[in-house]
Amino acid sequence: MTLTKADLADLLFEQVGLNKRESKDMVEAFFEEIRTALESGNSVKLSGFGNFELRVKSERPGRNPKTGEDIPISARRVVTFHASQKLKGTVEEEYAGADA
Amino acid sequence: MTKSDLITNLAARFPQLAIKDAELSVKAILDSMTEKLAARERIEIRGFGSFSLNYRPPRLGRNPKTGSKVEVPEKYVPHFKAGKELRERVNLLE
């Protein structure tokens, strides 16, 4: 099952003891803080989990795949995520464990 | 922004809570996301993005020191795809 904001809010209610309202607001605020930092041009480094970084991509030629028409893809700023060694390691280990 | 900045900012948003609660919340959220990916499942946060796993097939690599061939086993690596709201807010030229 996919993990969603509702699952995270349940977790804060059960594990941290926030009330239902606070749990929901805390999850929303958690992701909003990250969005705000990125929006204002700051990278976000969450040790043990990973880093969210910004990359500026310059304009490049593109094509409308339906019509074949040439249209430039405008310059843009995008978010990239780099998992920490710890997260990568955990994901791999679990897999090796499941295999054995 | 680091994890401790994030905790400080969240604590400021919830003046009725102890700083400890913001700290425990951040830890609980990140631990839960890590466990989910370790269990080979997806995370989908509306307006933020989704985390999934990309498969890397086994390959023959080389030990850069000795030059000998080594079998690199198949593995999964975490992947993030920004959601619509995040993509639009971050893009300079929206």
Side-chain angles (χ1 to χ4, degrees):
Chain A
M1 269 282 283
T2 302
L3 184 78
T4 63
K5 283 192 275 197
D7 298 321
L8 292 172
D10 287 347
L11 187 85
L12 297 187
F13 175 72
E14 287 160 20
Q15 287 189 7
V16 183
L18 307 190
N19 69 36
K20 292 269 184 188
R21 178 85 241 166
E22 289 164 344
S23 300
K24 192 168 176 285
D25 291 349
M26 181 63 82
V27 171
E28 201 53 60
F30 175 93
F31 292 105
E32 180 54 26
E33 282 292 337
I34 300 176
R35 277 192 299 252
T36 304
L38 292 168
E39 184 178 26
S40 46
N42 297 312
S43 59
V44 177
K45 297 182 190 298
L46 303 175
S47 69
F49 187 74
N51 298 344
F52 294 92
E53 273 146 24
L54 293 161
R55 285 183 70 97
V56 177
K57 301 193 149 198
S58 46
E59 184 182 288
R60 61 194 167 92
R63 183 164 288 164
N64 180 331
K66 252 187 199 149
T67 64
E69 183 193 1
D70 286 327
I71 25 169
I73 296 168
S74 57
R76 59 194 60 201
R77 189 167 69 173
V78 297
V79 177
T80 58
F81 174 70
H82 300 275
S84 71
Q85 284 306 320
K86 190 179 164 208
L87 176 59
K88 283 185 193 168
T90 306
V91 167
E92 276 175 45
E93 260 169 51
E94 291 291 321
Y95 185 62
D99 234 16
Chain B
M1 180 168 81
T2 63
K3 199 194 282 183
S4 54
D5 297 328
L6 175 59
I7 292 166
T8 307
N9 294 354
L10 289 174
R13 278 177 183 251
F14 296 85
Q16 78 279 21
L17 298 179
I19 292 177
K20 192 82 192 157
D21 291 325
E23 198 180 329
L24 290 173
S25 296
V26 167
K27 188 175 186 306
I29 291 171
L30 294 177
D31 284 352
S32 171
M33 290 170 72
T34 300
E35 279 167 27
K36 201 67 185 177
L37 290 174
R40 204 83 9 88
E41 292 182 283
R42 281 170 56 80
I43 302 166
E44 220 173 285
I45 307 296
R46 277 293 155 86
F48 184 76
S50 60
F51 296 85
S52 57
L53 294 163
N54 280 348
Y55 176 70
R56 296 275 184 275
R59 61 188 175 86
L60 269 185
R62 262 176 205 282
N63 180 330
K65 245 187 205 156
T66 64
S68 62
K69 282 182 182 165
V70 273
E71 171 90 23
V72 181
E74 61 176 350
K75 62 178 177 185
Y76 284 89
V77 293
H79 175 75
F80 174 71
K81 185 171 189 287
K84 189 164 184 279
E85 187 192 341
L86 178 60
R87 215 164 49 228
E88 288 175 355
R89 282 175 58 180
V90 157
N91 189 1
L92 289 166
L93 310 166
E94 78 195 73

PDB file of all heavy atoms in Angstrom, chain B residues 23-60:
ATOM      1  N   GLU B  23      10.430  17.831  16.906  1.00  0.00           N
ATOM      2  CA  GLU B  23      11.578  16.962  16.657  1.00  0.00           C
ATOM      3  C   GLU B  23      11.125  15.509  16.454  1.00  0.00           C
ATOM      4  O   GLU B  23      11.536  14.837  15.506  1.00  0.00           O
ATOM      5  CB  GLU B  23      12.509  17.071  17.863  1.00  0.00           C
ATOM      6  CG  GLU B  23      13.907  16.594  17.626  1.00  0.00           C
ATOM      7  CD  GLU B  23      14.770  16.747  18.886  1.00  0.00           C
ATOM      8  OE1 GLU B  23      14.535  17.685  19.677  1.00  0.00           O
ATOM      9  OE2 GLU B  23      15.645  15.892  19.079  1.00  0.00           O
ATOM     10  N   LEU B  24      10.249  15.047  17.347  1.00  0.00           N
ATOM     11  CA  LEU B  24       9.739  13.670  17.243  1.00  0.00           C
ATOM     12  C   LEU B  24       8.911  13.492  15.971  1.00  0.00           C
ATOM     13  O   LEU B  24       8.941  12.426  15.343  1.00  0.00           O
ATOM     14  CB  LEU B  24       8.898  13.314  18.471  1.00  0.00           C
ATOM     15  CG  LEU B  24       9.663  13.148  19.793  1.00  0.00           C
ATOM     16  CD1 LEU B  24       8.702  12.963  20.957  1.00  0.00           C
ATOM     17  CD2 LEU B  24      10.624  11.958  19.700  1.00  0.00           C
ATOM     18  N   SER B  25       8.186  14.540  15.584  1.00  0.00           N
ATOM     19  CA  SER B  25       7.353  14.454  14.379  1.00  0.00           C
ATOM     20  C   SER B  25       8.221  14.290  13.137  1.00  0.00           C
ATOM     21  O   SER B  25       7.941  13.442  12.283  1.00  0.00           O
ATOM     22  CB  SER B  25       6.490  15.718  14.236  1.00  0.00           C
ATOM     23  OG  SER B  25       5.590  15.816  15.320  1.00  0.00           O
ATOM     24  N   VAL B  26       9.275  15.109  13.040  1.00  0.00           N
ATOM     25  CA  VAL B  26      10.169  15.027  11.883  1.00  0.00           C
ATOM     26  C   VAL B  26      10.808  13.636  11.816  1.00  0.00           C
ATOM     27  O   VAL B  26      10.863  13.008  10.769  1.00  0.00           O
ATOM     28  CB  VAL B  26      11.253  16.141  11.938  1.00  0.00           C
ATOM     29  CG1 VAL B  26      12.361  15.891  10.932  1.00  0.00           C
ATOM     30  CG2 VAL B  26      10.611  17.499  11.687  1.00  0.00           C
ATOM     31  N   LYS B  27      11.243  13.157  12.964  1.00  0.00           N
ATOM     32  CA  LYS B  27      11.874  11.846  13.016  1.00  0.00           C
ATOM     33  C   LYS B  27      10.872  10.753  12.604  1.00  0.00           C
ATOM     34  O   LYS B  27      11.197   9.877  11.804  1.00  0.00           O
ATOM     35  CB  LYS B  27      12.402  11.586  14.433  1.00  0.00           C
ATOM     36  CG  LYS B  27      13.249  10.328  14.515  1.00  0.00           C
ATOM     37  CD  LYS B  27      13.861  10.142  15.903  1.00  0.00           C
ATOM     38  CE  LYS B  27      14.815   8.954  15.919  1.00  0.00           C
ATOM     39  NZ  LYS B  27      14.215   7.694  15.431  1.00  0.00           N
ATOM     40  N   ALA B  28       9.660  10.830  13.130  1.00  0.00           N
ATOM     41  CA  ALA B  28       8.637   9.824  12.827  1.00  0.00           C
ATOM     42  C   ALA B  28       8.306   9.817  11.329  1.00  0.00           C
ATOM     43  O   ALA B  28       8.167   8.753  10.717  1.00  0.00           O
ATOM     44  CB  ALA B  28       7.373  10.078  13.658  1.00  0.00           C
ATOM     45  N   ILE B  29       8.180  11.013  10.742  1.00  0.00           N
ATOM     46  CA  ILE B  29       7.842  11.092   9.314  1.00  0.00           C
ATOM     47  C   ILE B  29       8.971  10.491   8.468  1.00  0.00           C
ATOM     48  O   ILE B  29       8.726   9.645   7.598  1.00  0.00           O
ATOM     49  CB  ILE B  29       7.569  12.563   8.898  1.00  0.00           C
ATOM     50  CG1 ILE B  29       6.264  13.058   9.540  1.00  0.00           C
ATOM     51  CG2 ILE B  29       7.488  12.695   7.370  1.00  0.00           C
ATOM     52  CD1 ILE B  29       6.010  14.559   9.378  1.00  0.00           C
ATOM     53  N   LEU B  30      10.222  10.890   8.743  1.00  0.00           N
ATOM     54  CA  LEU B  30      11.344  10.391   7.932  1.00  0.00           C
ATOM     55  C   LEU B  30      11.568   8.885   8.140  1.00  0.00           C
ATOM     56  O   LEU B  30      11.850   8.165   7.178  1.00  0.00           O
ATOM     57  CB  LEU B  30      12.616  11.187   8.242  1.00  0.00           C
ATOM     58  CG  LEU B  30      12.574  12.660   7.822  1.00  0.00           C
ATOM     59  CD1 LEU B  30      13.848  13.374   8.252  1.00  0.00           C
ATOM     60  CD2 LEU B  30      12.373  12.800   6.317  1.00  0.00           C
ATOM     61  N   ASP B  31      11.420   8.421   9.378  1.00  0.00           N
ATOM     62  CA  ASP B  31      11.582   6.979   9.641  1.00  0.00           C
ATOM     63  C   ASP B  31      10.524   6.179   8.892  1.00  0.00           C
ATOM     64  O   ASP B  31      10.804   5.133   8.308  1.00  0.00           O
ATOM     65  CB  ASP B  31      11.471   6.677  11.146  1.00  0.00           C
ATOM     66  CG  ASP B  31      12.729   7.081  11.908  1.00  0.00           C
ATOM     67  OD1 ASP B  31      13.721   7.451  11.239  1.00  0.00           O
ATOM     68  OD2 ASP B  31      12.714   7.031  13.144  1.00  0.00           O
ATOM     69  N   SER B  32       9.309   6.681   8.914  1.00  0.00           N
ATOM     70  CA  SER B  32       8.210   5.982   8.259  1.00  0.00           C
ATOM     71  C   SER B  32       8.413   5.938   6.737  1.00  0.00           C
ATOM     72  O   SER B  32       8.149   4.917   6.086  1.00  0.00           O
ATOM     73  CB  SER B  32       6.906   6.683   8.621  1.00  0.00           C
ATOM     74  OG  SER B  32       5.861   6.178   7.860  1.00  0.00           O
ATOM     75  N   MET B  33       8.910   7.037   6.179  1.00  0.00           N
ATOM     76  CA  MET B  33       9.168   7.066   4.740  1.00  0.00           C
ATOM     77  C   MET B  33      10.292   6.092   4.377  1.00  0.00           C
ATOM     78  O   MET B  33      10.210   5.384   3.367  1.00  0.00           O
ATOM     79  CB  MET B  33       9.512   8.496   4.301  1.00  0.00           C
ATOM     80  CG  MET B  33       8.297   9.427   4.371  1.00  0.00           C
ATOM     81  SD  MET B  33       8.684  11.181   4.135  1.00  0.00           S
ATOM     82  CE  MET B  33       9.056  11.237   2.394  1.00  0.00           C
ATOM     83  N   THR B  34      11.318   6.049   5.222  1.00  0.00           N
ATOM     84  CA  THR B  34      12.432   5.120   4.986  1.00  0.00           C
ATOM     85  C   THR B  34      11.952   3.663   5.025  1.00  0.00           C
ATOM     86  O   THR B  34      12.280   2.868   4.137  1.00  0.00           O
ATOM     87  CB  THR B  34      13.535   5.339   6.048  1.00  0.00           C
ATOM     88  OG1 THR B  34      13.996   6.684   5.959  1.00  0.00           O
ATOM     89  CG2 THR B  34      14.711   4.400   5.840  1.00  0.00           C
ATOM     90  N   GLU B  35      11.152   3.347   6.049  1.00  0.00           N
ATOM     91  CA  GLU B  35      10.628   1.974   6.179  1.00  0.00           C
ATOM     92  C   GLU B  35       9.792   1.585   4.974  1.00  0.00           C
ATOM     93  O   GLU B  35       9.855   0.455   4.502  1.00  0.00           O
ATOM     94  CB  GLU B  35       9.727   1.858   7.422  1.00  0.00           C
ATOM     95  CG  GLU B  35      10.481   1.676   8.719  1.00  0.00           C
ATOM     96  CD  GLU B  35       9.580   1.877   9.931  1.00  0.00           C
ATOM     97  OE1 GLU B  35       8.342   1.656   9.819  1.00  0.00           O
ATOM     98  OE2 GLU B  35      10.105   2.297  10.980  1.00  0.00           O
ATOM     99  N   LYS B  36       8.998   2.543   4.500  1.00  0.00           N
ATOM    100  CA  LYS B  36       8.121   2.256   3.363  1.00  0.00           C
ATOM    101  C   LYS B  36       8.945   1.898   2.123  1.00  0.00           C
ATOM    102  O   LYS B  36       8.650   0.933   1.428  1.00  0.00           O
ATOM    103  CB  LYS B  36       7.241   3.484   3.097  1.00  0.00           C
ATOM    104  CG  LYS B  36       5.995   3.175   2.339  1.00  0.00           C
ATOM    105  CD  LYS B  36       5.058   2.321   3.155  1.00  0.00           C
ATOM    106  CE  LYS B  36       3.855   1.924   2.346  1.00  0.00           C
ATOM    107  NZ  LYS B  36       2.952   1.032   3.108  1.00  0.00           N
ATOM    108  N   LEU B  37       9.988   2.683   1.874  1.00  0.00           N
ATOM    109  CA  LEU B  37      10.842   2.410   0.711  1.00  0.00           C
ATOM    110  C   LEU B  37      11.605   1.104   0.902  1.00  0.00           C
ATOM    111  O   LEU B  37      11.789   0.342  -0.045  1.00  0.00           O
ATOM    112  CB  LEU B  37      11.810   3.575   0.470  1.00  0.00           C
ATOM    113  CG  LEU B  37      11.157   4.866  -0.029  1.00  0.00           C
ATOM    114  CD1 LEU B  37      12.170   5.999  -0.086  1.00  0.00           C
ATOM    115  CD2 LEU B  37      10.515   4.665  -1.402  1.00  0.00           C
ATOM    116  N   ALA B  38      12.025   0.833   2.152  1.00  0.00           N
ATOM    117  CA  ALA B  38      12.737  -0.416   2.423  1.00  0.00           C
ATOM    118  C   ALA B  38      11.826  -1.611   2.159  1.00  0.00           C
ATOM    119  O   ALA B  38      12.283  -2.681   1.761  1.00  0.00           O
ATOM    120  CB  ALA B  38      13.254  -0.434   3.853  1.00  0.00           C
ATOM    121  N   ALA B  39      10.521  -1.426   2.367  1.00  0.00           N
ATOM    122  CA  ALA B  39       9.550  -2.494   2.123  1.00  0.00           C
ATOM    123  C   ALA B  39       9.157  -2.554   0.644  1.00  0.00           C
ATOM    124  O   ALA B  39       8.227  -3.257   0.257  1.00  0.00           O
ATOM    125  CB  ALA B  39       8.314  -2.298   2.998  1.00  0.00           C
ATOM    126  N   ARG B  40       9.874  -1.793  -0.169  1.00  0.00           N
ATOM    127  CA  ARG B  40       9.670  -1.771  -1.625  1.00  0.00           C
ATOM    128  C   ARG B  40       8.293  -1.217  -1.995  1.00  0.00           C
ATOM    129  O   ARG B  40       7.668  -1.661  -2.934  1.00  0.00           O
ATOM    130  CB  ARG B  40       9.841  -3.180  -2.189  1.00  0.00           C
ATOM    131  CG  ARG B  40      10.218  -3.285  -3.646  1.00  0.00           C
ATOM    132  CD  ARG B  40      11.688  -3.133  -3.915  1.00  0.00           C
ATOM    133  NE  ARG B  40      12.534  -3.113  -2.742  1.00  0.00           N
ATOM    134  CZ  ARG B  40      13.051  -4.188  -2.145  1.00  0.00           C
ATOM    135  NH1 ARG B  40      12.808  -5.370  -2.593  1.00  0.00           N
ATOM    136  NH2 ARG B  40      13.832  -4.049  -1.120  1.00  0.00           N
ATOM    137  N   GLU B  41       7.831  -0.193  -1.244  1.00  0.00           N
ATOM    138  CA  GLU B  41       6.533   0.388  -1.567  1.00  0.00           C
ATOM    139  C   GLU B  41       6.668   1.880  -1.857  1.00  0.00           C
ATOM    140  O   GLU B  41       7.698   2.475  -1.575  1.00  0.00           O
ATOM    141  CB  GLU B  41       5.554   0.120  -0.422  1.00  0.00           C
ATOM    142  CG  GLU B  41       5.226  -1.360  -0.329  1.00  0.00           C
ATOM    143  CD  GLU B  41       4.212  -1.668   0.771  1.00  0.00           C
ATOM    144  OE1 GLU B  41       4.624  -1.683   1.941  1.00  0.00           O
ATOM    145  OE2 GLU B  41       3.050  -1.846   0.445  1.00  0.00           O
ATOM    146  N   ARG B  42       5.591   2.452  -2.395  1.00  0.00           N
ATOM    147  CA  ARG B  42       5.622   3.846  -2.840  1.00  0.00           C
ATOM    148  C   ARG B  42       5.168   4.828  -1.762  1.00  0.00           C
ATOM    149  O   ARG B  42       4.423   4.475  -0.866  1.00  0.00           O
ATOM    150  CB  ARG B  42       4.682   4.027  -4.042  1.00  0.00           C
ATOM    151  CG  ARG B  42       5.217   3.561  -5.365  1.00  0.00           C
ATOM    152  CD  ARG B  42       4.101   3.569  -6.395  1.00  0.00           C
ATOM    153  NE  ARG B  42       3.465   4.882  -6.510  1.00  0.00           N
ATOM    154  CZ  ARG B  42       3.989   5.874  -7.215  1.00  0.00           C
ATOM    155  NH1 ARG B  42       5.105   5.722  -7.876  1.00  0.00           N
ATOM    156  NH2 ARG B  42       3.353   7.035  -7.288  1.00  0.00           N
ATOM    157  N   ILE B  43       5.592   6.086  -1.923  1.00  0.00           N
ATOM    158  CA  ILE B  43       5.124   7.175  -1.076  1.00  0.00           C
ATOM    159  C   ILE B  43       4.546   8.207  -2.024  1.00  0.00           C
ATOM    160  O   ILE B  43       5.192   8.565  -3.015  1.00  0.00           O
ATOM    161  CB  ILE B  43       6.288   7.802  -0.281  1.00  0.00           C
ATOM    162  CG1 ILE B  43       6.987   6.746   0.573  1.00  0.00           C
ATOM    163  CG2 ILE B  43       5.798   8.966   0.563  1.00  0.00           C
ATOM    164  CD1 ILE B  43       8.331   7.188   1.129  1.00  0.00           C
ATOM    165  N   GLU B  44       3.333   8.666  -1.743  1.00  0.00           N
ATOM    166  CA  GLU B  44       2.711   9.642  -2.627  1.00  0.00           C
ATOM    167  C   GLU B  44       2.179  10.802  -1.808  1.00  0.00           C
ATOM    168  O   GLU B  44       1.224  10.630  -1.048  1.00  0.00           O
ATOM    169  CB  GLU B  44       1.577   8.967  -3.398  1.00  0.00           C
ATOM    170  CG  GLU B  44       1.493   9.395  -4.836  1.00  0.00           C
ATOM    171  CD  GLU B  44       0.464   8.565  -5.591  1.00  0.00           C
ATOM    172  OE1 GLU B  44       0.768   7.406  -5.902  1.00  0.00           O
ATOM    173  OE2 GLU B  44      -0.635   9.096  -5.823  1.00  0.00           O
ATOM    174  N   ILE B  45       2.823  11.958  -1.925  1.00  0.00           N
ATOM    175  CA  ILE B  45       2.425  13.139  -1.155  1.00  0.00           C
ATOM    176  C   ILE B  45       1.861  14.163  -2.130  1.00  0.00           C
ATOM    177  O   ILE B  45       2.613  14.787  -2.891  1.00  0.00           O
ATOM    178  CB  ILE B  45       3.637  13.733  -0.391  1.00  0.00           C
ATOM    179  CG1 ILE B  45       4.343  12.655   0.463  1.00  0.00           C
ATOM    180  CG2 ILE B  45       3.203  14.917   0.460  1.00  0.00           C
ATOM    181  CD1 ILE B  45       3.520  12.072   1.576  1.00  0.00           C
ATOM    182  N   ARG B  46       0.533  14.338  -2.107  1.00  0.00           N
ATOM    183  CA  ARG B  46      -0.126  15.293  -3.003  1.00  0.00           C
ATOM    184  C   ARG B  46       0.465  16.690  -2.877  1.00  0.00           C
ATOM    185  O   ARG B  46       0.621  17.176  -1.760  1.00  0.00           O
ATOM    186  CB  ARG B  46      -1.633  15.386  -2.658  1.00  0.00           C
ATOM    187  CG  ARG B  46      -2.484  14.325  -3.269  1.00  0.00           C
ATOM    188  CD  ARG B  46      -2.540  14.472  -4.779  1.00  0.00           C
ATOM    189  NE  ARG B  46      -2.829  13.185  -5.393  1.00  0.00           N
ATOM    190  CZ  ARG B  46      -4.066  12.705  -5.570  1.00  0.00           C
ATOM    191  NH1 ARG B  46      -5.099  13.402  -5.185  1.00  0.00           N
ATOM    192  NH2 ARG B  46      -4.247  11.534  -6.127  1.00  0.00           N
ATOM    193  N   GLY B  47       0.806  17.290  -4.002  1.00  0.00           N
ATOM    194  CA  GLY B  47       1.319  18.653  -4.003  1.00  0.00           C
ATOM    195  C   GLY B  47       2.815  18.733  -3.744  1.00  0.00           C
ATOM    196  O   GLY B  47       3.421  19.785  -3.873  1.00  0.00           O
ATOM    197  N   PHE B  48       3.399  17.593  -3.369  1.00  0.00           N
ATOM    198  CA  PHE B  48       4.840  17.575  -3.099  1.00  0.00           C
ATOM    199  C   PHE B  48       5.556  16.679  -4.105  1.00  0.00           C
ATOM    200  O   PHE B  48       6.403  17.135  -4.864  1.00  0.00           O
ATOM    201  CB  PHE B  48       5.103  17.129  -1.662  1.00  0.00           C
ATOM    202  CG  PHE B  48       6.557  17.187  -1.286  1.00  0.00           C
ATOM    203  CD1 PHE B  48       7.161  18.405  -1.005  1.00  0.00           C
ATOM    204  CD2 PHE B  48       7.327  16.035  -1.227  1.00  0.00           C
ATOM    205  CE1 PHE B  48       8.515  18.473  -0.677  1.00  0.00           C
ATOM    206  CE2 PHE B  48       8.678  16.094  -0.903  1.00  0.00           C
ATOM    207  CZ  PHE B  48       9.276  17.315  -0.623  1.00  0.00           C
ATOM    208  N   GLY B  49       5.183  15.405  -4.098  1.00  0.00           N
ATOM    209  CA  GLY B  49       5.798  14.501  -5.054  1.00  0.00           C
ATOM    210  C   GLY B  49       5.681  13.063  -4.605  1.00  0.00           C
ATOM    211  O   GLY B  49       5.076  12.767  -3.575  1.00  0.00           O
ATOM    212  N   SER B  50       6.289  12.164  -5.375  1.00  0.00           N
ATOM    213  CA  SER B  50       6.214  10.757  -5.016  1.00  0.00           C
ATOM    214  C   SER B  50       7.611  10.163  -4.990  1.00  0.00           C
ATOM    215  O   SER B  50       8.509  10.596  -5.715  1.00  0.00           O
ATOM    216  CB  SER B  50       5.331  10.003  -6.014  1.00  0.00           C
ATOM    217  OG  SER B  50       5.867  10.124  -7.297  1.00  0.00           O
ATOM    218  N   PHE B  51       7.773   9.199  -4.090  1.00  0.00           N
ATOM    219  CA  PHE B  51       9.021   8.450  -3.985  1.00  0.00           C
ATOM    220  C   PHE B  51       8.727   7.024  -4.403  1.00  0.00           C
ATOM    221  O   PHE B  51       7.749   6.423  -3.943  1.00  0.00           O
ATOM    222  CB  PHE B  51       9.533   8.439  -2.539  1.00  0.00           C
ATOM    223  CG  PHE B  51       9.909   9.796  -2.005  1.00  0.00           C
ATOM    224  CD1 PHE B  51       8.947  10.620  -1.443  1.00  0.00           C
ATOM    225  CD2 PHE B  51      11.220  10.238  -2.060  1.00  0.00           C
ATOM    226  CE1 PHE B  51       9.294  11.868  -0.940  1.00  0.00           C
ATOM    227  CE2 PHE B  51      11.578  11.480  -1.557  1.00  0.00           C
ATOM    228  CZ  PHE B  51      10.612  12.304  -0.995  1.00  0.00           C
ATOM    229  N   SER B  52       9.585   6.502  -5.258  1.00  0.00           N
ATOM    230  CA  SER B  52       9.418   5.107  -5.655  1.00  0.00           C
ATOM    231  C   SER B  52      10.805   4.509  -5.795  1.00  0.00           C
ATOM    232  O   SER B  52      11.804   5.153  -5.477  1.00  0.00           O
ATOM    233  CB  SER B  52       8.645   5.034  -6.964  1.00  0.00           C
ATOM    234  OG  SER B  52       9.336   5.781  -7.948  1.00  0.00           O
ATOM    235  N   LEU B  53      10.878   3.281  -6.262  1.00  0.00           N
ATOM    236  CA  LEU B  53      12.171   2.630  -6.405  1.00  0.00           C
ATOM    237  C   LEU B  53      12.432   2.301  -7.857  1.00  0.00           C
ATOM    238  O   LEU B  53      11.529   1.882  -8.574  1.00  0.00           O
ATOM    239  CB  LEU B  53      12.199   1.350  -5.561  1.00  0.00           C
ATOM    240  CG  LEU B  53      12.114   1.608  -4.059  1.00  0.00           C
ATOM    241  CD1 LEU B  53      11.737   0.341  -3.332  1.00  0.00           C
ATOM    242  CD2 LEU B  53      13.425   2.153  -3.529  1.00  0.00           C
ATOM    243  N   ASN B  54      13.643   2.535  -8.291  1.00  0.00           N
ATOM    244  CA  ASN B  54      14.041   2.143  -9.636  1.00  0.00           C
ATOM    245  C   ASN B  54      14.907   0.896  -9.554  1.00  0.00           C
ATOM    246  O   ASN B  54      15.779   0.806  -8.700  1.00  0.00           O
ATOM    247  CB  ASN B  54      14.832   3.265 -10.308  1.00  0.00           C
ATOM    248  CG  ASN B  54      13.908   4.338 -10.854  1.00  0.00           C
ATOM    249  OD1 ASN B  54      12.690   4.146 -10.923  1.00  0.00           O
ATOM    250  ND2 ASN B  54      14.482   5.470 -11.223  1.00  0.00           N
ATOM    251  N   TYR B  55      14.623  -0.028 -10.439  1.00  0.00           N
ATOM    252  CA  TYR B  55      15.362  -1.292 -10.477  1.00  0.00           C
ATOM    253  C   TYR B  55      16.668  -1.116 -11.244  1.00  0.00           C
ATOM    254  O   TYR B  55      16.702  -0.487 -12.302  1.00  0.00           O
ATOM    255  CB  TYR B  55      14.491  -2.346 -11.158  1.00  0.00           C
ATOM    256  CG  TYR B  55      15.171  -3.679 -11.349  1.00  0.00           C
ATOM    257  CD1 TYR B  55      15.443  -4.493 -10.251  1.00  0.00           C
ATOM    258  CD2 TYR B  55      15.523  -4.120 -12.621  1.00  0.00           C
ATOM    259  CE1 TYR B  55      16.063  -5.718 -10.418  1.00  0.00           C
ATOM    260  CE2 TYR B  55      16.136  -5.351 -12.802  1.00  0.00           C
ATOM    261  CZ  TYR B  55      16.415  -6.141 -11.693  1.00  0.00           C
ATOM    262  OH  TYR B  55      17.029  -7.354 -11.864  1.00  0.00           O
ATOM    263  N   ARG B  56      17.740  -1.653 -10.693  1.00  0.00           N
ATOM    264  CA  ARG B  56      19.031  -1.689 -11.410  1.00  0.00           C
ATOM    265  C   ARG B  56      19.406  -3.148 -11.580  1.00  0.00           C
ATOM    266  O   ARG B  56      19.615  -3.853 -10.594  1.00  0.00           O
ATOM    267  CB  ARG B  56      20.126  -0.985 -10.603  1.00  0.00           C
ATOM    268  CG  ARG B  56      19.897   0.494 -10.382  1.00  0.00           C
ATOM    269  CD  ARG B  56      20.397   1.326 -11.544  1.00  0.00           C
ATOM    270  NE  ARG B  56      20.259   2.754 -11.268  1.00  0.00           N
ATOM    271  CZ  ARG B  56      19.152   3.451 -11.480  1.00  0.00           C
ATOM    272  NH1 ARG B  56      18.083   2.849 -11.972  1.00  0.00           N
ATOM    273  NH2 ARG B  56      19.107   4.737 -11.213  1.00  0.00           N
ATOM    274  N   PRO B  57      19.449  -3.627 -12.814  1.00  0.00           N
ATOM    275  CA  PRO B  57      19.753  -5.047 -13.036  1.00  0.00           C
ATOM    276  C   PRO B  57      21.200  -5.377 -12.629  1.00  0.00           C
ATOM    277  O   PRO B  57      22.021  -4.468 -12.505  1.00  0.00           O
ATOM    278  CB  PRO B  57      19.562  -5.223 -14.542  1.00  0.00           C
ATOM    279  CG  PRO B  57      19.676  -3.867 -15.117  1.00  0.00           C
ATOM    280  CD  PRO B  57      19.252  -2.901 -14.073  1.00  0.00           C
ATOM    281  N   PRO B  58      21.505  -6.661 -12.413  1.00  0.00           N
ATOM    282  CA  PRO B  58      22.874  -7.038 -12.067  1.00  0.00           C
ATOM    283  C   PRO B  58      23.802  -6.693 -13.222  1.00  0.00           C
ATOM    284  O   PRO B  58      23.390  -6.686 -14.380  1.00  0.00           O
ATOM    285  CB  PRO B  58      22.805  -8.553 -11.864  1.00  0.00           C
ATOM    286  CG  PRO B  58      21.574  -8.984 -12.563  1.00  0.00           C
ATOM    287  CD  PRO B  58      20.628  -7.827 -12.553  1.00  0.00           C
ATOM    288  N   ARG B  59      25.048  -6.375 -12.904  1.00  0.00           N
ATOM    289  CA  ARG B  59      25.982  -6.040 -13.984  1.00  0.00           C
ATOM    290  C   ARG B  59      27.388  -6.452 -13.557  1.00  0.00           C
ATOM    291  O   ARG B  59      27.656  -6.678 -12.374  1.00  0.00           O
ATOM    292  CB  ARG B  59      25.935  -4.545 -14.304  1.00  0.00           C
ATOM    293  CG  ARG B  59      26.325  -3.694 -13.123  1.00  0.00           C
ATOM    294  CD  ARG B  59      26.104  -2.207 -13.353  1.00  0.00           C
ATOM    295  NE  ARG B  59      26.387  -1.469 -12.120  1.00  0.00           N
ATOM    296  CZ  ARG B  59      27.589  -1.047 -11.761  1.00  0.00           C
ATOM    297  NH1 ARG B  59      28.624  -1.262 -12.545  1.00  0.00           N
ATOM    298  NH2 ARG B  59      27.786  -0.403 -10.622  1.00  0.00           N
ATOM    299  N   LEU B  60      28.260  -6.525 -14.544  1.00  0.00           N
ATOM    300  CA  LEU B  60      29.664  -6.807 -14.258  1.00  0.00           C
ATOM    301  C   LEU B  60      30.382  -5.487 -14.074  1.00  0.00           C
ATOM    302  O   LEU B  60      30.450  -4.680 -14.995  1.00  0.00           O
ATOM    303  CB  LEU B  60      30.290  -7.580 -15.426  1.00  0.00           C
ATOM    304  CG  LEU B  60      30.234  -9.098 -15.347  1.00  0.00           C
ATOM    305  CD1 LEU B  60      31.009  -9.703 -16.503  1.00  0.00           C
ATOM    306  CD2 LEU B  60      30.799  -9.617 -14.021  1.00  0.00           C
TER     307      LEU B  60
END
